[in-house]
Amino acid sequence: MAVAMMRSAREIYQTSTMGALIDGVYDGDVTIRELLRHGDFGLGTFNHLDGEMVILGGSCYHLRADGSARVADDGDLTPFATVTWFRPDITIPVRASMDRSALTALIDEALSSENLVYAIRLNGTFDEVRTRTVMEQRPPYPPLTEAARGQRECNFHSVAGTLAGFRTPDYEQGIAVAGYHMHFIDHARRQGGHALDYRLETGTIEVSSRSELHLSLPRTSQFLASNLASESLAQQIRQAEG
């Protein structure tokens, strides 16, 4: 039992793959209730590509295309999500204003290896956060690169909140999003979205390393029939994720 708990503490649980999402597999078979059995921190999206997801402190938030946020229903389904039990290994105070590039460079310098997955949480006051949120789709579903053209962008200024997400190695591109993939939600848990750009005024960066991956693949007919071997997958992910 102790060994299983230790393994779980190092584990990332993911349902489906980014490659499937790129191909338009927007209907999954995992509920939010089931997802939260595997972690208290993470991100993803909802069935029909209906907005963005962020999980903090064991609560799952549904971020809508108008920039609003609400607590997700336990029975909501997800076609793609990544969660873990967040316990920081590294804490970095930020006492001066830093943009996205400077913050990611600061995190990179603190990492022990580029070959592990890292869960990352940035808490603080942001000078600005620019987000986008995908809009709900209807069958027949377009690929994500097309669906993302209708995304809504929001700009938040002088806002307290949290950026939550993962830094994933390049070799996992297609399974997940290589590099930094972050979602934002404000302190009141009323606004947020997929983070495109940001500047942190002051705050704290927390980093948690992960070396176990539990990949759960859907058994839906849509996933089973999907083409997951596109030669341009990496380019499509960069285009869709901004």
Side-chain angles (χ1 to χ4, degrees):
M1 180 66 72
V3 172
M5 290 179 64
M6 289 178 60
R7 180 173 182 142
S8 178
R10 294 194 303 268
E11 182 179 273
I12 282 178
Y13 172 89
Q14 181 174 307
T15 178
S16 194
T17 70
M18 193 63 201
L21 204 65
I22 287 289
D23 199 47
V25 181
Y26 302 153
D27 289 331
D29 53 9
V30 175
T31 66
I32 300 306
R33 183 184 299 105
E34 171 63 22
L35 191 65
L36 293 177
R37 292 188 181 120
H38 298 276
D40 60 1
F41 174 95
L43 51 68
T45 186
F46 294 86
N47 271 20
H48 317 305
L49 204 67
D50 183 17
E52 312 287 344
M53 176 196 298
V54 63
I55 297 171
L56 290 171
S59 296
C60 180
Y61 298 94
H62 192 160
L63 314 178
R64 309 306 292 270
D66 62 0
S68 66
R70 65 170 179 82
V71 176
D73 294 333
D74 284 348
D76 285 347
L77 293 166
T78 175
F80 174 82
T82 307
V83 298
T84 191
W85 299 103
F86 192 89
R87 304 293 182 271
D89 301 310
I90 302 169
T91 300
I92 307 170
V94 178
R95 300 187 176 92
S97 181
M98 300 181 74
D99 63 13
R100 175 183 178 179
S101 178
L103 284 166
T104 55
L106 182 63
I107 296 169
D108 285 346
E109 290 175 2
L111 303 182
S112 60
S113 171
E114 294 185 355
N115 296 328
L116 298 176
V117 180
Y118 297 91
I120 299 170
R121 184 170 64 194
L122 284 76
N123 292 309
T125 301
F126 294 81
D127 294 314
E128 181 179 8
V129 182
R130 183 166 63 92
T131 68
R132 69 105 167 108
T133 305
V134 289
M135 298 180 66
E136 185 175 9
Q137 303 295 306
R138 299 295 183 189
Y141 295 133
L144 186 57
T145 50
E146 293 182 21
R149 292 173 191 163
Q151 66 191 14
R152 298 284 183 85
E153 291 194 12
C154 293
N155 286 280
F156 304 106
H157 299 275
S158 300
V159 58
T162 301
L163 280 168
F166 297 90
R167 184 196 186 279
T168 303
D170 289 346
Y171 62 77
E172 276 201 49
Q173 185 74 295
I175 299 296
V177 178
Y180 287 86
H181 183 189
M182 308 292 288
H183 289 182
F184 173 77
I185 190 167
D186 72 346
H187 183 70
R189 307 298 192 245
R190 294 177 180 170
Q191 305 175 102
H194 171 96
L196 294 173
D197 202 6
Y198 44 86
R199 175 179 285 274
L200 180 65
E201 183 179 345
T202 59
T204 302
I205 303 169
E206 295 174 308
V207 183
S208 185
S209 64
R210 290 293 176 267
S211 55
E212 305 283 346
L213 175 62
H214 177 166
L215 181 59
S216 178
L217 299 179
R219 305 269 317 169
T220 63
S221 58
Q222 190 187 20
F223 179 85
L224 296 176
S226 181
N227 174 20
L228 303 181
S230 170
E231 293 182 0
S232 60
L233 180 59
Q235 178 183 351
Q236 293 179 69
I237 291 175
R238 286 193 294 270
Q239 180 182 342
E241 292 299 306

